Amino acid sequence: DIQMTQSPSSLSASVGDRVTITCRASQDIRNDLGWYQQKPGKAPKRLIYAASTLQSGVPSRFSGSGSGTEFTLTISSLQPEDFATYYCLQHNSYPRTFGQGTKLEIK
Amino acid sequence: QVQLVQSGAEVKKPGASVKVSCKASGYTFTNYAISWVRQAPGQGLEWMGWISAYNGNTKYAQKVQGRVTLTTDTSTSTAYMELRSLRSDDTAVYFCARASVYSTSSPDYWGQGTLVTVSS
């Protein structure tokens, strides 16, 4: 199975900050990676697909980069509605695997 | 617009079975697959399996293999997840999500989730 190691597990930041979340894959997954945002009691929402393509309707302050084994999600200027938990998901091989999640909290 | 609407919350006893439905609308059901993901209380997301609505092919996570069956009814554009021999650690919110048939993209649209509680 491909292991997805996501860091940090939690992050405190302020409105306007730039934050970066990282996912490392245990083997090459090309660009077969999505990033999701989840708010309490809600379903995950896809932000980024194919590692760096912004989902339609998602604000441009979100961006993704990377390929192979190293991936990052960057929020360029945090807004109040961005405080949530973020997950990466690899879809290169079965079983699909998620990162452990990053809880983004208000400082 | 694409929508996935799941069935309501369930409470089951250990050893019982549960069947969760996921009704799709707004797209051609057989052009996509459905992935199932669960989330135990306070925990992260766990992929359970995938079924192609095109040809019924399935993939399962080893953790639930043998206890889970994914099916689709193309006449009603509905996917089903049945989990048997329920244990307390199966208590979770179960999500369905639209996935690609050829694994070319990550799941995009998600259902609202179904809480399954396993308790004696």
Side-chain angles (χ1 to χ4, degrees), chain A residues 48-84:
Chain A
I48 300 285
Y49 62 95
S52 60
T53 304
L54 191 67
Q55 177 74 32
S56 175
V58 173
S60 59
R61 62 180 179 273
F62 291 92
S63 63
S65 65
S67 67
T69 61
E70 292 264 344
F71 302 87
T72 59
L73 172 70
T74 299
I75 311 172
S76 61
S77 178
L78 275 173
Q79 298 302 300
E81 60 268 30
D82 300 337
F83 292 94

Side-chain angles (χ1 to χ4, degrees), chain A residues 32-34 36 38 41-44 46 48-50 55 87 89 91 94-100, chain B residues 37 39 43-47 50 59-62 95 103-113:
Chain A
D32 297 332
L33 184 111
Y36 295 84
Q38 188 182 32
K42 299 294 188 182
R46 192 172 72 172
I48 300 285
Y49 62 95
Q55 177 74 32
Y87 295 92
L89 168 66
H91 61 92
Y94 292 101
R96 308 310 199 207
T97 43
F98 288 91
Q100 302 94 321
Chain B
V37 172
Q39 186 169 39
Q43 301 302 308
L45 300 170
E46 177 187 18
W47 182 85
W50 170 97
K59 300 282 188 183
Y60 297 114
Q62 191 167 10
F95 296 101
S103 300
T104 51
S105 188
S106 51
D108 51 7
Y109 292 90
W110 292 62
Q112 82 276 19

Side-chain angles (χ1 to χ4, degrees), chain A residues 1-6 23-27 29 69 88 90 95 97-100:
Chain A
D1 297 3
I2 296 175
Q3 308 302 315
M4 301 302 296
T5 303
Q6 187 173 337
C23 265
R24 290 188 174 84
S26 59
Q27 62 192 70
I29 61 167
T69 61
C88 61
Q90 68 80 17
T97 43
F98 288 91
Q100 302 94 321

